[in-house]
Amino acid sequence: MTETQYLIGVSTSGSPLIYYTSSFPLELGTKVVVDTPNIGTTIGTVQNNKKSEITEGFLPITRIATKHDLVIFEKNSKIEKDIFNVVTLGAKRYNLNMKIISTIVSLDFSKLLVIYSSDDRVDFRELVKELHRTFRTHIEMKQIGTRDRAQIIGGIGVCGLPLCCSTFIKNFDIISINMAKNQMLAINIEKISGACGRLMCCLKYEDEIYSLEKERFPKIGSHVKYQDKDVKVTGLNV
């Protein structure tokens, strides 16, 4: 008999929800030790769990965090604030055109991830050498775009809810102005742009249903019978 497996959704610093496998369910809010693609070993918080027959390709939860793990994690979190200041000052000293978004260290301090944004390609080799000499750990620099920046920082959307990208979106879809046109929205870039300054991700959500429903409507400019009269269609409201 196959053992029941669970997919556990875990949130960690600077990352969207990541799923891991477990042979038993975990209560929401449980602190766990996990390996992440970017940070390495870190502590995350369980956000959801569900039974699943598909577990291939998912890493297992390393363990439920111990008191010792939590003490180290808290200590590292405080150190990260100092590291952030050191990296920011270093970038200025080397005249690098980059904005430091966050600095994250792994639980065992074997890795320091520096997340930054920039419109240009940045030669940060000297900065990395200096950081390695200072902190004696592996340094990884990760450049992100404006959407990724909003995902990490978070915020509230025009709908009044937390940003989709910082709560459940893992990969960004291509969003085009044609989606706004398809939904017959006024093309006011400021009103249809999100906190990142790019077109709102939610334009994607209703695009398919608008495309399907509009097929049931007469074309603008066509003539139809209405109350025994021949009338011309001048607009639609799906």
Side-chain angles (χ1 to χ4, degrees):
M1 183 176 178
T2 305
E3 184 181 14
T4 302
Q5 289 290 317
Y6 295 84
L7 280 182
I8 310 294
V10 177
S11 61
T12 60
S13 302
S15 299
L17 207 62
I18 302 175
Y19 282 88
Y20 296 86
T21 61
S22 173
S23 57
F24 53 90
L26 292 171
E27 290 185 10
L28 303 188
T30 302
K31 300 294 183 182
V32 292
V33 176
V34 291
D35 284 322
T36 65
N38 294 322
I39 307 170
T41 304
T42 189
I43 285 182
T45 305
V46 173
Q47 300 292 351
N48 61 51
N49 64 76
K50 56 186 178 182
K51 291 182 180 179
S52 177
E53 296 179 357
I54 303 173
T55 57
E56 186 176 350
F58 294 94
L59 291 172
I61 292 231
T62 305
R63 63 179 180 274
I64 295 177
T66 63
K67 288 184 178 179
H68 181 63
D69 291 326
L70 295 174
V71 168
I72 294 175
F73 183 72
E74 184 65 26
K75 181 181 176 181
N76 286 351
S77 297
K78 293 178 180 178
I79 294 173
E80 285 172 351
K81 296 177 182 178
D82 296 328
I83 294 176
F84 179 88
N85 293 331
V86 170
V87 177
T88 301
L89 290 173
K92 289 181 179 178
R93 188 164 56 254
Y94 288 106
N95 295 317
L96 301 178
N97 182 25
M98 59 194 298
K99 180 177 178 59
I100 308 302
I101 304 301
S102 65
T103 52
I104 307 171
V105 294
S106 60
L107 192 63
D108 56 4
F109 215 89
S110 63
K111 182 179 180 180
L112 166 58
L113 175 65
V114 178
I115 301 175
Y116 72 96
S117 63
S118 177
D119 295 329
D120 307 310
R121 185 175 180 179
V122 181
D123 184 357
F124 45 67
R125 287 175 291 183
E126 292 304 317
L127 175 61
V128 169
K129 290 178 183 177
E130 180 180 313
L131 295 177
H132 179 70
R133 288 194 299 268
T134 302
F135 299 110
R136 297 296 178 182
T137 188
H138 174 69
I139 311 296
E140 182 175 324
M141 309 290 287
K142 182 181 180 182
Q143 184 175 1
I144 61 172
T146 54
R147 284 189 171 181
D148 299 287
R149 182 181 174 186
Q151 185 179 63
I152 293 173
I153 296 174
I156 302 296
V158 294
C159 58
L161 297 174
L163 299 180
C164 298
C165 59
S166 63
T167 50
F168 66 89
I169 291 180
K170 294 184 66 176
N171 299 305
F172 292 113
D173 291 319
I174 296 174
I175 312 296
S176 71
I177 198 70
N178 286 332
M179 292 180 179
K181 292 179 179 178
N182 187 44
Q183 296 170 48
M184 296 174 287
L185 297 173
I187 308 304
N188 183 326
I189 298 300
E190 289 187 1
K191 289 188 176 181
I192 59 176
S193 295
C196 60
R198 302 292 184 86
L199 293 175
M200 292 190 293
C201 291
C202 55
L203 288 174
K204 178 85 173 179
Y205 302 160
E206 297 184 7
D207 189 59
E208 182 179 4
I209 191 65
Y210 266 84
S211 297
L212 291 172
E213 287 298 316
K214 284 171 74 174
E215 291 179 1
R216 302 171 53 238
F217 282 68
K219 303 295 182 184
I220 292 179
S222 63
H223 288 260
V224 297
K225 287 287 186 181
Y226 177 70
Q227 294 183 348
D228 295 328
K229 294 181 181 179
D230 182 74
V231 296
K232 183 179 181 180
V233 178
T234 58
L236 301 175
N237 186 334
V238 176

